[in-house]
Amino acid sequence: LLGIFEQATYTDSTIQLEAGDKLLVYSDGAEKFVGGYDDQGTFHFSEEFLSLQSLPIHEIIERLKAFPNSIEVDSPEADDVTGVGLEVL
């Protein structure tokens, strides 16, 4: 929930992406597909999501787009899924 809390503070950092690296930024609607937090508050990627890491980014995005149709959720839980990805060639 980036930017919605007035008093939130964020740390700037820089990372150098290299050939083969992928970056995926996604909305909260994708959380059930990407992973979740355990009881101790540690985030873990889902096995389904981890199995995609060797695919090109455009295929990962296609799977992300298809995700809402692959699970059953109650109407109040339904949320949009938005993702932006890049791959360094």
Side-chain angles (χ1 to χ4, degrees):
L1 299 174
L2 194 58
I4 68 166
F5 303 107
E6 281 186 36
Q7 288 76 25
T9 57
Y10 302 98
T11 304
D12 290 337
S13 60
T14 302
I15 185 169
Q16 181 65 45
L17 298 177
E18 299 181 7
D21 288 345
K22 298 172 191 129
L23 176 67
L24 177 64
V25 180
Y26 55 87
S27 67
D28 62 337
E31 285 179 357
K32 291 181 181 178
F33 172 70
V34 174
Y37 290 91
D38 62 19
D39 294 339
Q40 287 76 41
T42 302
F43 185 84
H44 299 279
F45 289 109
S46 71
E47 291 298 319
E48 182 179 12
F49 183 71
L50 287 174
S51 72
L52 305 178
Q53 63 186 326
S54 63
L55 296 176
I57 194 68
H58 67 88
E59 289 185 39
I60 295 171
I61 293 289
E62 287 302 314
R63 301 274 181 103
L64 186 64
K65 285 171 35 180
F67 172 67
N69 299 324
S70 68
I71 62 165
E72 250 182 70
V73 293
D74 295 332
S75 296
E77 292 181 16
D79 197 353
D80 67 319
V81 175
T82 303
V84 176
L86 68 88
E87 181 172 2
V88 179
L89 302 176

